[in-house]
Amino acid sequence: DSGVTQTPKHLITATGQRVTLRCSPRSGDLSVYWYQQSLDQGLQFLIQYYNGEERAKGNILERFSAQQFPDLHSELNLSSLELGDSALYFCASSPPAGDTQYFGPGTRLTVL
Amino acid sequence: AQTVTQSQPEMSVQEAETVTLSCTYDTSESDYYLFWYKQPPSRQMILVIRQEAYKQQNATENRFSVNFQKAAKSFSLKISDSQLGDAAMYFCAYRRVYTGANSKLTFGKGITLSVRP
């Protein structure tokens, strides 16, 4: 158990819908990262937050957005879902000035 | 931009034997971190080992060790005394030295390791 929690574990929805994925980092970690794992794209970095502020963006679609709240949990919002958004979404956290990222169990999103 | 290449999509090893998983990377930076993560069928990403580029000594964690060749930009993982529980997908990853911003992990495509009993 890495100490990073993600909910829900599984999500099945339809095209065009909107979903929210939630992540709670390890105690004391200020950085939260979101990654997408799909068969064709592999593991791709989406976005990073540090202590409530957006720090870096990767290959994140405009239909996707994220935020980190004062209690440091983070949410990834996916809207106007398409079949191709079906993937495993990971959240990871790391401590201040830390170099290692610890991953949550992931949320498997299926878009039908 | 940094890239990580894992050219072997699959490997197989006999239980109790030793196997080496290859990884190469490309970067123009002199300081960085390298990692190996394990992803078993449960899909959880588990840190196996980390290496700091400015350290000459190869990292070791129990049965797992790395062969870090900085000049060749090579970072291979050796698993000794392979066990059935080692069967998983293994990802090599690169990270810039922490700057507070853009400290993302760049992953290779992964290698699926099977262990034969």
Side-chain angles (χ1 to χ4, degrees):
Chain A
D1 185 358
S2 67
V4 180
T5 61
Q6 287 187 250
T7 56
K9 288 187 178 177
H10 302 278
L11 202 47
I12 301 174
T13 188
T15 54
Q17 295 298 304
R18 172 190 170 93
V19 297
T20 298
L21 282 51
R22 182 188 170 102
C23 166
S24 292
R26 298 184 324 152
S27 177
D29 287 358
L30 301 182
S31 281
V32 168
Y33 308 79
W34 287 96
Y35 293 88
Q36 178 194 59
Q37 184 178 27
S38 61
L39 282 175
D40 54 343
Q41 296 293 326
L43 270 158
Q44 298 279 325
F45 167 72
L46 295 178
I47 196 165
Q48 175 198 357
Y49 278 83
Y50 180 85
N51 202 21
E53 294 185 2
E54 182 185 304
R55 281 298 178 93
K57 268 187 173 180
N59 301 321
I60 188 166
L61 301 171
E62 286 190 9
R63 301 182 285 108
F64 296 1
S65 65
Q67 54 184 324
Q68 187 179 28
F69 294 86
D71 66 352
L72 301 177
H73 90 271
S74 178
E75 293 180 356
L76 179 67
N77 301 295
L78 315 177
S79 61
S80 302
L81 285 167
E82 302 174 0
L83 296 177
D85 297 328
S86 296
L88 188 55
Y89 291 85
F90 284 108
C91 166
S93 74
S94 65
D99 55 77
T100 300
Q101 294 180 23
Y102 298 91
F103 283 74
T107 293
R108 178 167 294 284
L109 173 66
T110 302
V111 183
L112 301 175
Chain B
Q2 296 80 24
T3 59
V4 177
T5 303
Q6 294 179 256
S7 56
Q8 309 154 303
E10 296 179 354
M11 287 199 73
S12 180
V13 64
Q14 190 75 35
E15 194 175 7
E17 297 295 309
T18 295
V19 65
T20 298
L21 311 182
S22 301
C23 172
T24 58
Y25 59 94
D26 189 25
T27 183
S28 58
E29 300 178 340
S30 59
D31 286 338
Y32 45 86
Y33 298 103
L34 295 165
F35 304 86
W36 279 96
Y37 281 88
K38 170 185 178 181
Q39 187 177 42
S42 67
R43 310 299 276 175
Q44 173 78 51
M45 293 289 286
I46 301 166
L47 176 67
V48 175
I49 200 164
R50 63 185 280 278
Q51 174 77 42
E52 299 162 32
Y54 55 89
K55 286 190 176 178
Q56 300 280 0
Q57 188 172 6
N58 288 326
T60 300
E61 288 287 342
N62 300 315
R63 298 183 295 108
F64 298 88
S65 62
V66 298
N67 183 3
F68 173 49
Q69 301 290 326
K70 191 172 182 179
K73 295 181 182 175
S74 170
F75 183 61
S76 59
L77 175 69
K78 186 171 83 170
I79 306 174
S80 304
D81 186 25
S82 296
Q83 301 175 0
L84 295 177
D86 295 332
M89 180 163 274
Y90 287 81
F91 290 93
C92 177
Y94 169 102
R95 212 211 81 169
R96 301 173 62 194
V97 170
Y98 181 81
T99 63
N102 202 2
S103 49
K104 67 175 183 179
L105 288 169
T106 299
F107 287 93
K109 291 192 178 296
I111 176 170
T112 300
L113 176 67
S114 58
V115 181
R116 304 185 303 274

